Amino acid sequence: MKDKNDVWQGTLALMVMKTLDMMGPQHGYGIARRIEQISEDLLSVNHGTLYPVLLKLEQEGSIASDWGISENNRKARFYHLTEEGRRELRTEQLHWETTTSIMARFLSAPGGNQ
Amino acid sequence: MNRKALRRFWSRLNGLLPSRRRDQDLADELESHIELLTEDNIRGGMSPADARRAALLKLGGLESVKESYRDQRGLPAVESLFQDLRYAFRGMRRRPGFTITAVTCLALGIGATTALFSVLNAVLIRRLPVAQPEQLVQLRFQGDAKLPKTVRRSTSGFNRSSFPHYMLQELQDGDSGISELFAFVPLNFDRHGVTVNIDGTPSTAGGEMVSANYFRGLGVAPVIGRAIAEEDLKPGSPNVAVLSYGYWTRQFGRDRSIIGHRISLNGQPFVIIGVAPQEFFGVNAALPPDFWVPLRDVPGLAPWGNSSPKAGAMFSDRAWWWCMLMGRLKPGVTAQRAQLQLDTRFRQLLAAAAPADFKPEILPHVELTDAGKGLDNLRNRLSQPLKLLLAATGLVLLIACANVATLLLARATARQRETSVRLALGAMRGRLIRQYVTESVLLALVGGGLGVLVAYWGSHGLVLLDQDTRGLSLDVQPDGTVLGFCLGLSLLTGILFGLAPAFRATRTNVSTRIQEGVTMHISRLSLGSALVAGQVALSVLLLFGAGLFLRTLGNLESQDLGFRRENLLVFALNPPRTAYTGDRRVEFYHRALEAIQPLPGVESATSSGLALLSGWTNNSDASTDSAAQPTSGKASNTVSWNTVGPNFFHTMGMNLIQGRDLDWTDIRLARKVAVVNAALARQMFPNRNPVGHRFSMSEEYNPSEAIEIIGVVGDAKYASLRGKAEPTAYISYTAIPESVSKMHYEVRTAADPAAVLTAIRTAMRGIDPAVPLVDPKTQTEMLREGLGEERLFAVLCTVFGSLAMILVAVGLYGTLAYTVTRRTNEIGIRMALGAPRTHVLWMVLRESLLLIGAGALVGLPAALMASRLVENQVYGVKPGDPVTLAAALSVLLLVGATASFLPARRAAQIDPQVALRNE
């Protein structure tokens, strides 16, 4: 029963994990900024949707969080990837790459109506 | 993946717990997000105010983020359930009157049903408290053909379940699907068959003889001591006994040092070797033994209380069928397969004993029946009454449901504005229905919880009402099955009575309901009226049933018995056969009677082989000497007979029509004489005086010469209160002394029989201190005990009927009071226009009478139809008795009119001015 939202959530989750993998511990704002930067602002993340995703990942044990001090000296929650999250990321990444490559091949195949 | 989902579910369950800290954490986190974003925005050149506004926009609404975050954190469905529950609780607290009424109705309905069900569960559903009861099977046989005398000459015990003793060994030896085949035989037909002497004090008890593997086969281990084992059956080994937990408690106060203690059973020494577990009552709930002894020939202690001198031959006689057999199926073996194997072996054994010229097809077949619940006598006897009573409680529960539905309906109507507002604000109808049903289910659960208490007391009371269940170790303690039943019932009723009002309440046109004030009430009560009429219909059923059973009980209690029941004391003496046989036994019976006669307070005394109204009779075929055989054309005449002592008819107050009473001379000289009743005289000696004629009985109890009739008495009840008197012969007991297993004494006293009992005990101790008085009670007590089932029905149906009446009264009152409130306006107008108060009074009463009438119209044919079901239970009254029906309807009408008078009076007292201003 996946609806649009779930797909988006899944994709966003993968982005969050990849971000944390590359950058190490980050707070929510940092993750949101990073995703916008990487996608070169093609993807405008509604920052609010990030937090339920973070919570879900944490509930699943892929990420964990600690309270720390942000660059502007404020209390902030820092998320990092767990060992399990790293494994999860590798699987998901592979899965995603396979899917996209299949989709790419499928879509670039010569169409009958050309 | 699965693990992931599980972990998420777990943390979401945790997330259900309310936590201020978690909320605070989220607020902090979001706040720091906003500040970081704001600072970035300022760096990008925005004004501080714009920067923060932009940050909030980017986040997409602080509250909606929190909302979706919370949804992710917990389980929304569960949370909304909690919300509904909280709301429902608040609603219940706000309306204590409504809540108490509804919960009480439900507690009574659910409680009564559960109480009945827990008795039904104990009798019909629960399995024996033994290891793997589902593997147990009882051996029975099918086939009625008369067998050659070398195969079966005598039978003792219950129909089709007695086998010759040698079968125990022979059937087990064959390679069968049975892992243990064990035998058990009661030493008595009632609970007083054996005289037990404990430290010099005699008393009576009931016991069973069991094979060495009985306890092993059932998988029952004693709580102290050991079970009966193979060595206890070896010749020369001492007699041993295992006590039941109940008997151990009653007689020995749970003294653990009892092991090794000596007692005597019918004069034989026995050593106590163990005590059975508390919950274990043997395999026959109708006759739970007080002790178990090894199955072997012990003088004076014969299976089935057999008192004949030939009883010792039961063990070796291959043509005497008396042993009950039970087996445990080997794991994986079906009953069908085991039955096939046993049947083959069984028929081989029988064929071997039969003469050469017999037809093998007449031999019976072995049949294995499920014995996981024990023997089925009690189940057979109680299953029909219990099911009927359960149906009756079901009716009470239905009435209670209808009642609460009516209340809820009225409440829903009162809440219609609230509902409309919620619907207008966008609440989903489904969500509202769920909320309503949550409320009703909560009510039902609270009612059900209290119902368990009602059931707990009720079921114990129920067991006490019936004499057959009172003596049993019938465990009616609510178990998992009962509690599950109660829970299921509560949920079901909650949904049942909640759904209709919920649908009704939410089916509303939003705009009109909010605008509208008070005035509309067109179709509103059709459902409520139907519910009230339905309650009336159901209570017609219950009241009619109560009427029938009350009349049955009254008829049975007050009917002419044919003898005087007042001031009559009955008890029995059963001297041990080891010390008293033949002439010595008869002499003992004489001396006992002679000792009672002169005691102060005794008017007269007599004796009989069987007590009257005890449920027992003797029946035999009889023929007369007269050349003119009965004209009725019957091939044989079955007569009931009893053996009686001197002055029997005088003492019992029976009406002597012709001839004379038996006297001491008849008894002392052992004359072959008898007095017959009028029914026998009519049947065997039509239009003739039977006095002076002789008759003979079938061979079993055939005295050496035919019995002479010396008198005729009026018909009297013999075994039971029901049915008309059978042709009966009262034979002098010395004519056939062997037929008496124990002698009953009937003592007519001048005043209270209980006062004479002590004197009789002392007198009997003077004759033999080792012989106890068996089961002394007055004839009235005996009569009352014999009416246990009738009383059970009468009492319960009256209770249920009254309960129904109260519920109907409440329902009627509620409905009418509600109508009056709603119609205040209309009534005000009517009165303002000149309607007299009596008219208004009548208007409301008419509505109530219409409801009752409609209900009665439906209930009447239903009651007449249902009464057919109890045709066998009623006595002296036709199932469709119009007088009883009229009485039931009058009670209903009376209660209904009383309940509706209050609201009607209130309507009549409405002040038109106030009513109209109210608008």
Side-chain angles (χ1 to χ4, degrees), chain A residues 29 47 51 60 74 79, chain B residues 4 8 29 33 35 40:
Chain A
Y29 178 64
H47 288 197
Y51 285 93
E60 287 168 0
R74 290 195 176 279
Y79 296 90
Chain B
K4 215 165 74 180
R8 195 168 73 212
E29 192 174 8
H33 188 116
E35 278 169 8
D40 271 4

Side-chain angles (χ1 to χ4, degrees), chain B residues 450-474:
Chain B
L450 290 173
V452 172
L453 290 182
V454 174
Y456 181 83
W457 299 112
S459 55
H460 283 82
L462 278 182
V463 171
L464 292 183
L465 272 174
D466 188 273
Q467 69 148 353
D468 272 20
T469 49
R470 187 172 31 196
L472 313 184
S473 20
L474 200 58

Side-chain angles (χ1 to χ4, degrees), chain B residues 473-775:
Chain B
S473 20
L474 200 58
D475 183 11
V476 293
Q477 219 69 269
D479 62 359
T481 319
V482 172
L483 292 179
F485 174 83
C486 186
L487 183 71
L489 206 59
S490 309
L491 288 175
L492 191 74
T493 50
I495 294 168
L496 198 68
F497 69 71
L499 220 47
F503 270 100
R504 171 57 63 98
T506 54
R507 191 189 64 200
T508 180
N509 189 329
V510 170
S511 58
T512 56
R513 279 305 154 99
I514 298 177
Q515 293 161 1
E516 163 222 315
V518 207
T519 39
M520 68 153 298
H521 48 259
I522 312 304
S523 72
R524 77 250 128 68
L525 263 180
S526 57
L527 182 59
S529 309
L531 284 169
V532 172
Q535 293 183 49
V536 171
L538 292 173
S539 40
V540 171
L541 270 170
L542 285 171
L543 285 176
F544 184 48
L548 285 182
F549 290 125
L550 280 174
R551 290 194 59 184
T552 296
L553 185 66
N555 287 343
L556 286 170
E557 269 178 342
S558 62
Q559 67 181 330
D560 181 19
L561 300 175
F563 63 88
R564 278 204 306 132
R565 71 190 90 174
E566 299 82 15
N567 294 343
L568 193 64
L569 184 74
V570 184
F571 65 93
L573 294 176
N574 188 14
R577 290 195 182 267
T578 40
Y580 295 95
T581 47
D583 289 346
R584 254 180 78 81
R585 199 172 179 83
V586 173
E587 186 52 37
F588 177 90
Y589 292 152
H590 287 357
R591 279 175 53 208
L593 191 53
E594 281 163 347
I596 296 166
Q597 191 72 69
L599 291 177
V602 173
E603 279 188 349
S604 73
T606 184
S607 61
S608 61
L610 292 175
L612 299 191
L613 304 183
S614 66
W616 299 105
T617 53
N618 299 309
N619 293 296
S620 291
D621 283 348
S623 53
T624 63
D625 61 345
S626 105
Q629 279 298 310
T631 48
S632 58
K634 275 191 195 167
S636 70
N637 284 297
T638 302
V639 299
S640 300
W641 53 272
N642 197 353
T643 44
V644 299
N647 305 318
F648 182 78
F649 306 99
H650 166 71
T651 308
M652 296 305 286
M654 284 160 86
N655 180 24
L656 202 64
I657 300 172
Q658 280 169 322
R660 59 178 182 86
D661 204 339
L662 286 158
D663 58 30
W664 271 110
T665 326
D666 298 321
I667 301 294
R668 288 241 165 70
L669 298 178
R671 285 185 185 143
K672 313 294 182 205
V673 291
V675 172
V676 298
N677 71 352
L680 188 140
R682 269 196 307 276
Q683 185 178 323
M684 294 179 77
F685 304 94
N687 307 318
R688 280 180 303 146
N689 186 351
V691 174
H693 284 282
R694 291 168 189 275
F695 68 95
S696 318
M697 294 200 297
S698 60
E699 52 193 309
E700 193 181 357
Y701 285 111
N702 194 15
S704 47
E705 52 193 280
I707 298 166
E708 186 194 343
I709 297 171
I710 58 165
V712 180
V713 288
D715 291 340
K717 299 283 172 186
Y718 180 5
S720 78
L721 284 165
R722 287 176 183 251
K724 58 182 187 13
E726 298 294 322
T728 308
Y730 303 89
I731 306 166
S732 159
Y733 75 78
T734 42
I736 35 175
E738 320 82 59
S739 74
V740 179
S741 65
K742 60 183 174 195
M743 189 59 88
H744 290 84
Y745 290 86
E746 289 84 9
V747 184
R748 175 78 60 192
T749 58
D752 181 18
V756 186
L757 188 58
T758 327
I760 292 177
R761 275 189 203 283
T762 318
M764 293 303 106
R765 259 200 301 277
I767 296 174
D768 186 340
V771 178
L773 260 62
V774 179
D775 202 21

Side-chain angles (χ1 to χ4, degrees), chain B residues 174-392:
Chain B
D175 179 34
S176 69
I178 302 281
S179 63
E180 294 276 3
L181 186 72
F182 51 91
F184 56 96
V185 202
L187 286 166
N188 37 275
F189 276 104
D190 56 28
R191 281 169 218 137
H192 304 284
V194 179
T195 302
V196 187
N197 200 313
I198 302 165
D199 304 324
T201 313
S203 58
T204 56
E208 233 169 47
M209 275 191 166
V210 298
S211 58
N213 58 350
Y214 173 83
F215 286 97
R216 193 175 63 226
L218 285 172
V220 170
V223 281
I224 57 168
R226 65 173 178 89
I228 291 165
E230 267 76 10
E231 73 247 33
D232 299 317
L233 273 99
K234 289 207 182 97
S237 58
N239 283 326
V240 295
V242 171
L243 303 183
S244 81
Y245 197 93
Y247 193 65
W248 180 46
T249 307
R250 285 196 303 277
Q251 292 291 333
F252 299 99
R254 297 194 195 154
D255 178 4
R256 299 185 75 86
S257 67
I258 200 70
I259 304 299
H261 196 80
R262 284 174 181 286
I263 56 174
S264 85
L265 303 176
N266 281 359
Q268 296 294 314
F270 274 78
V271 179
I272 297 171
I273 56 165
V275 175
Q278 182 163 18
E279 68 279 2
F280 182 66
F281 56 84
V283 294
N284 183 4
L287 198 57
D290 293 318
F291 59 83
W292 292 268
V293 298
L295 182 69
R296 62 172 181 177
D297 185 17
V298 179
L301 209 62
W304 297 111
N306 194 302
S307 56
S308 78
K310 291 174 280 185
M314 290 175 97
F315 287 84
S316 52
D317 190 339
R318 290 169 77 92
W320 195 335
W321 295 35
W322 56 273
C323 221
M324 287 202 277
L325 297 176
M326 209 179 251
R328 183 177 283 284
L329 294 173
K330 284 179 184 156
V333 176
T334 61
Q336 287 93 324
R337 220 184 89 201
Q339 176 173 318
L340 216 64
Q341 291 165 334
L342 284 174
D343 188 42
T344 315
R345 181 92 186 113
F346 174 68
R347 289 165 64 89
Q348 277 169 4
L349 289 166
L350 295 185
D357 61 335
F358 91 112
K359 299 189 198 69
E361 59 270 19
I362 63 161
L363 291 180
H365 285 275
V366 164
E367 180 191 44
L368 295 185
T369 56
D370 175 24
K373 295 170 188 168
L375 303 195
D376 50 11
N377 344 17
L378 189 71
R379 279 207 301 287
N380 284 345
R381 199 181 75 65
L382 288 179
S383 99
Q384 174 79 354
L386 280 178
K387 282 176 189 161
L388 274 174
L389 288 175
L390 190 65

Side-chain angles (χ1 to χ4, degrees), chain B residues 408-409 412-413 415-416 419-420 423 429 432 436 499-508 513:
Chain B
L408 276 178
L409 207 59
T413 322
R415 278 164 68 180
Q416 212 138 42
T419 312
S420 301
L423 283 171
R429 187 169 172 218
L432 279 182
Y436 271 98
L499 220 47
F503 270 100
R504 171 57 63 98
T506 54
R507 191 189 64 200
T508 180
R513 279 305 154 99

